């Protein structure tokens, strides 16, 4: 007879999997309007890891090395945690919070945006920067470049002048020799000439096709700091308190840069994002719905809500995430949705004991098979 302390919660993994690969070979998206998803439920009581298999997801012992690992479950005392095992550069393999799933926890499915959040809509990825008390141009994550103007004898690569009295002469890329330096004002003129703008009520959008040095391909910083003086490359992005900046995250070798500055006022606190011409922030991506999401400003906070979009609105989760009783956590990993929750019932004690032993035995059996295969091969 198996006796289990009822004060220790049992982890129930309710895993919903949609094996959906988009035409063209770009994965990492889940179609929320399709009902053909394969569903399965797993129960895990000990530390384990979830591995992607051909027909879904499989829970294996934490000591089992042979699997396509998606995430791992850890236990500290009576608390359970999950964390991603993918490389940080592999955005599709990381844990993404599904914003629409928050309506299971509250009547309004809204996510309060924080400094540095990564938001994904279709294939569009933005990083969030807030301006509460500190100017965002001082935020290190915005890739501001600190340098000095002690470049005597050098000349600007654009105007070929060496005078730095009106505009500092700086080096911001990997170029050497006669094209090493550039005036800040010359750089601003060049960058703004190659940018297009869109203005609407409360929103300023700037699109740059190649926000980088055209010779060495070094990405440009958004701001340059010379002798403690800040120079913003786009004067349109000069902002006041309580504004929000969405800065596109480059991926797949792309160097295009998009900036959306949101300035709420007394008459405008709701901002829509999508492909529609009527959207406040227009997103040029075929996987973005016409009205995909909205950002609402209230009580000095910006809140993100999904508008029942086809491919969902996601927020990247960092580090370990604690699981709580009666509060499910839904995450997306690639084209799989995983819902996790803790259920505290003593009547499942036998299953808990048996499942933990099964995971261990499966892991040992796999290792034995691999060892036999290696010996036979040699």
């Amino acid at each position: 007879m198996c006796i289990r302390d009822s004060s220790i919660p049992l982890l129930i993994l309710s895993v919903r999997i949609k094996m959906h690969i988009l035409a063209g070979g770009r994965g990492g998206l889940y179609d929320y309007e399709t009902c053909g998803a394969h569903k399965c439920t797993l129960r895990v009581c000990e530390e384990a890891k979830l591995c992607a298999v051909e027909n879904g997801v499989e829970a294996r012992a934490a000591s089992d090395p042979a699997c396509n690992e998606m995430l791992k479950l850890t236990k500290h005392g009576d608390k359970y945690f999950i964390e991603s095992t993918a490389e940080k550069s592999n955005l599709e393999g990381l844990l993404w919070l599904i914003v629409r799933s928050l309506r299971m926890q509250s009547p309004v499915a809204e996510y309060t945006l924080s400094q540095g959040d990564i938001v994904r809509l279709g294939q569009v990825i933005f990083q969030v920067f807030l301006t509460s008390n500190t100017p965002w141009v001082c935020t290190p994550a915005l890739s501001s470049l600190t340098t000095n103007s002690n470049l005597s004898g050098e000349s600007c690569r654009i105007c070929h002048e060496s005078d730095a009295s009106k505009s500092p002469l700086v080096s911001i890329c990997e170029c050497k020799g006669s094209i090493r330096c550039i005036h800040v004002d010359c750089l601003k003129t060049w960058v703004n000439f190659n940018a297009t703008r869109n203005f609407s009520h409360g929103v300023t959008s700037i699109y740059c096709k190649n926000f980088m040095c055209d010779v060495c391909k070094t990405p440009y910083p958004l701001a340059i700091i010379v002798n403690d003086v800040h120079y913003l490359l786009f004067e349109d992005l000069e902002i006041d308190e309580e504004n929000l900046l969405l800065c596109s995250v480059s991926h797949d070798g792309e160097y295009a840069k998009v900036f959306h500055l949101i300035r709420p006022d007394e008459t405008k606190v709701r901002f829509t994002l999508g492909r529609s011409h009527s959207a406040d922030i227009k997103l040029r991506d075929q996987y973005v719905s016409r009205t995909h999401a909205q950002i609402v400003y209230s009580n000095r906070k910006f809140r993100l809500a999904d508008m029942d979009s086809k491919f969902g609105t996601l927020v990247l989760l960092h580090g370990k995430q604690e699981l709580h009783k009666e509060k499910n956590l839904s995450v997306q990993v690639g084209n799989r949705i995983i819902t996790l929750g803790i259920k505290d019932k003593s009547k499942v004690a036998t299953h808990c004991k048996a499942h933990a032993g099964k995971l261990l035995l499966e892991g040992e059996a796999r290792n034995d098979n691999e060892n036999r295969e290696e010996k036979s091969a040699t």
Side-chain angles (χ1 to χ4, degrees):
M1 180 177 180
C2 177
I3 300 176
R4 176 178 174 271
D5 185 356
S6 61
S7 64
I8 300 178
L10 171 66
L11 183 64
I12 301 287
L13 294 182
S14 179
V15 184
R16 183 175 61 171
I17 307 155
K18 175 71 169 69
M19 304 298 293
H20 181 77
I21 304 299
L22 296 173
R26 301 198 73 168
L29 294 176
Y30 183 95
D31 187 352
Y32 290 88
E33 294 180 354
T34 301
C35 301
H38 173 71
K39 301 179 182 180
C40 66
T41 301
L42 303 175
R43 289 182 178 179
V44 180
C45 308
E46 301 296 333
E47 292 189 350
K49 53 188 178 183
L50 291 185
C51 302
V53 294
E54 183 177 357
N55 295 322
V57 172
E58 193 175 87
R60 298 185 181 178
S63 59
D64 185 2
C67 77
N68 184 14
E69 189 173 349
M70 298 168 54
L71 59 89
K72 62 180 179 180
L73 311 169
T74 56
K75 181 180 178 183
H76 300 281
D78 60 349
K79 295 182 179 180
Y80 291 90
F81 300 85
I82 65 167
E83 62 180 315
S84 174
T85 57
E87 296 290 337
K88 292 184 178 180
S89 59
N90 179 19
L91 291 178
E92 294 180 353
L94 297 177
L95 299 181
W96 294 87
L97 174 67
I98 305 169
V99 173
R100 69 171 63 194
S101 69
L102 298 178
R103 51 177 72 132
M104 295 187 299
Q105 304 172 11
S106 62
V108 181
E110 292 181 339
Y111 174 86
T112 302
L113 294 171
S114 302
Q115 187 77 275
D117 275 341
I118 304 293
V119 177
R120 180 173 180 173
L121 299 86
Q123 292 287 4
V124 177
I125 302 176
F126 287 112
Q127 189 165 14
V128 175
F129 298 97
L130 304 174
T131 60
S132 53
N133 298 316
T134 305
W136 56 263
V137 76
C138 300
T139 306
L142 261 181
S143 142
S144 25
L145 175 69
T146 303
T147 183
N148 59 65
S149 57
N150 186 20
L151 297 170
S152 58
E154 302 284 354
S155 60
C156 175
R157 65 190 294 178
I158 293 181
C159 69
H160 304 292
E161 298 289 337
S162 58
D163 182 17
S165 59
K166 295 182 179 180
S167 177
L169 196 63
V170 296
S171 175
I172 62 168
C173 62
E174 300 298 325
C175 290
K176 306 295 182 183
S178 60
I179 60 173
R180 173 191 174 201
C181 299
I182 189 172
H183 283 121
V184 171
D185 284 350
C186 292
L187 177 61
K188 290 172 64 175
T189 302
W190 173 254
V191 168
N192 282 271
F193 177 78
N194 289 281
T196 58
R197 290 164 170 78
N198 183 49
F199 300 96
S200 62
H201 186 186
V203 177
T204 299
S205 299
I206 300 178
Y207 305 88
C208 303
K209 186 176 181 180
N210 292 305
F211 194 63
M212 63 178 179
C213 173
D214 56 351
V215 178
C216 68
K217 310 304 181 185
T218 300
Y220 286 143
L222 184 59
I224 301 174
I225 306 173
V226 184
N227 299 329
D228 296 327
V229 179
H230 293 77
Y231 297 90
L232 194 61
L233 294 188
F234 299 106
E235 295 181 356
D236 311 79
L237 298 183
E238 290 285 358
I239 57 180
D240 302 319
E241 291 187 1
E242 307 303 331
N243 290 172
L244 179 144
L245 177 70
L246 298 177
C247 178
S248 65
V249 176
S250 299
H251 58 99
D252 294 340
E254 299 174 359
Y255 288 96
K257 210 71 172 176
V258 182
F259 305 97
H260 299 288
L261 179 62
I262 299 177
R263 296 186 176 101
D265 56 30
E266 295 180 354
T267 61
K268 182 73 171 179
V269 294
R270 292 181 180 272
F271 304 88
T272 56
L273 299 87
R275 284 190 297 111
S276 172
H277 292 291
S278 61
D280 297 300
I281 297 178
K282 300 174 182 61
L283 304 179
R284 304 169 182 175
D285 183 80
Q286 62 179 321
Y287 304 120
V288 171
S289 300
R290 294 184 180 276
T291 304
H292 195 109
Q294 74 172 358
I295 294 176
V296 181
Y297 179 73
S298 64
N299 298 325
R300 305 189 68 180
K301 294 183 181 296
F302 289 91
R303 294 180 171 86
L304 175 68
D306 182 73
M307 304 298 288
D308 293 326
S309 60
K310 182 178 179 66
F311 293 106
T313 303
L314 311 174
V315 178
L316 185 62
L317 296 175
H318 299 279
K320 291 185 178 181
Q321 303 295 320
E322 183 179 354
L323 303 177
H324 301 277
K325 285 184 181 181
E326 301 178 357
K327 187 177 179 182
N328 290 344
L329 175 64
S330 292
V331 297
Q332 181 174 326
V333 183
N335 54 9
R336 293 170 169 83
I337 291 179
I338 304 175
T339 302
L340 306 101
I342 296 178
K343 189 174 182 180
D344 186 7
K345 288 186 177 181
S346 59
K347 65 180 181 180
V348 293
T350 304
H351 171 83
C352 177
K353 189 76 173 179
H355 186 72
K358 182 180 178 182
L359 283 178
L360 182 60
L361 291 174
E362 287 181 351
E364 292 176 349
R366 267 188 218 99
N367 292 334
D368 291 341
N369 291 333
E370 289 176 358
N371 292 334
R372 283 195 294 269
E373 290 175 357
E374 291 177 358
K375 290 180 179 179
S376 61
T378 57

